Amino acid sequence: MMTSIQAINIAEGIVPAKSDKEYLQAWQLLVDNGQAWKLQGWFGRTAAAMIEDGLIRATEKHED
């Protein structure tokens, strides 16, 4: 199971994702646990764009 730190590192490009699926899983984890909205602004903007594009899903807690 991916940790938040691993997901952040993948999202930032510090650690390359092994696949597109892993990249999206990292972002989904950050949305699901709320970290996407607490980190630097670009995390939230990127997550919101990915949700809007249908690449990942919003969680009930963060849906508008």
Side-chain angles (χ1 to χ4, degrees), residues 2 10 15-27:
M2 187 181 302
I10 289 170
V15 174
K18 295 175 185 159
S19 64
D20 290 342
K21 181 179 178 180
E22 184 180 58
Y23 181 75
L24 294 175
Q25 286 174 334
W27 278 99

Side-chain angles (χ1 to χ4, degrees), residues 25-61:
Q25 286 174 334
W27 278 99
Q28 187 65 62
L29 175 62
L30 296 176
V31 169
D32 289 348
N33 69 17
Q35 289 296 305
W37 320 118
K38 296 176 185 174
L39 295 166
Q40 299 175 48
W42 77 268
F43 277 95
R45 291 188 298 274
T46 302
M50 293 174 84
I51 291 167
E52 187 173 315
D53 291 344
L55 298 171
I56 59 175
R57 61 176 169 62
T59 58
E60 289 182 29
K61 184 177 180 181

